[in-house]
Amino acid sequence: MAVKTILTEPDQLLRQISKPVKKVGKQEQKLMDDMLETMYSANGIGLAAIQIGVPKRIIVMDISKDENKKKPRYFVNPVIKNKDILKSTYEEGCLSVPNQFAEIDRPKNCDVEYLDYNGEKKLLKAEGLLATCIQHEMDHLEGILFIDYLSKLKKNMIIKKLSKMKSTRIVV
Ligand code: NI
């Protein structure tokens, strides 16, 4: 396993639409292992492959709060089959939009069909944080970031801030 570099806004790669995976093989499993390690080391609860520059429809997540009881989840080619009309609101952040947070409304519940780590077809009935998190991650597969739901003014302010951070960043 290896920790990869997480791309941050305004990196244009993050705006790519990710491609479906044909078969879950060794290569995809290695990618998922790397993604999970990268996510844990960045203290995130979800990560999409495109965030480490790989445009494949793969997501890893772990919303368990207990450090000692890790519960990694893997989603390959996830599709939302059903979603609630009711919305819930969470303050969201994103590893690709560092240190920025905003309240976002999303359907409260959703059913997601996907392939797991072993390539087996599964259906998840997600609610609460899990539902919000999977929808946030699935947006990444379409090149969408949570800041896209904000007003133009707010979004531009965040992008400006992040661009400035990037241009003054030095590695010595
Ligand atoms: Ni994100």
Side-chain angles (χ1 to χ4, degrees), residues 113-126:
E113 202 175 82
Y114 62 99
L115 303 175
D116 69 7
Y117 189 84
N118 298 310
E120 280 170 40
K121 203 177 197 176
K122 293 276 167 73
L123 182 78
L124 172 74
K125 290 187 176 292

Side-chain angles (χ1 to χ4, degrees), residues 16-149:
Q16 261 192 57
I17 294 176
S18 295
K19 295 209 170 64
V21 171
K22 288 198 186 94
K23 190 179 161 277
V24 182
K26 283 267 174 304
Q27 208 186 338
E28 285 72 25
Q29 290 178 335
K30 190 189 173 298
L31 174 63
M32 288 189 263
D33 294 342
D34 287 349
M35 286 168 64
L36 198 71
E37 198 180 348
T38 305
M39 183 192 82
Y40 283 142
S41 83
N43 289 319
I45 57 171
L47 189 79
I50 192 63
Q51 292 180 273
I52 58 165
V54 182
K56 288 185 179 180
R57 301 184 83 82
I58 298 180
I59 289 164
V60 296
M61 272 171 49
D62 189 342
I63 60 163
S64 64
K65 298 239 166 65
D66 191 344
E67 265 288 310
N68 303 314
K69 279 189 208 138
K70 290 197 165 128
K71 197 174 183 251
R73 296 171 187 269
Y74 308 90
F75 300 89
V76 179
N77 298 340
V79 178
I80 290 185
K81 286 290 172 189
N82 211 353
K83 57 185 172 190
D84 210 329
I85 326 161
L86 292 173
K87 302 274 166 96
S88 64
T89 309
Y90 278 93
E91 190 173 29
E92 294 186 23
C94 178
L95 293 174
S96 293
V97 190
N99 304 317
Q100 307 300 319
F101 301 91
E103 286 195 337
I104 306 291
D105 299 332
R106 297 185 188 270
K108 202 174 174 176
N109 305 305
C110 63
D111 298 344
V112 186
E113 202 175 82
Y114 62 99
L115 303 175
D116 69 7
Y117 189 84
N118 298 310
E120 280 170 40
K121 203 177 197 176
K122 293 276 167 73
L123 182 78
L124 172 74
K125 290 187 176 292
E127 50 180 49
L129 176 62
L130 184 58
T132 290
C133 194
I134 188 73
Q135 291 174 73
H136 173 118
E137 297 311 326
M138 285 180 70
D139 273 354
H140 278 298
L141 307 182
E142 307 302 326
I144 298 168
L145 299 173
F146 79 93
I147 53 171
D148 298 346
Y149 297 111

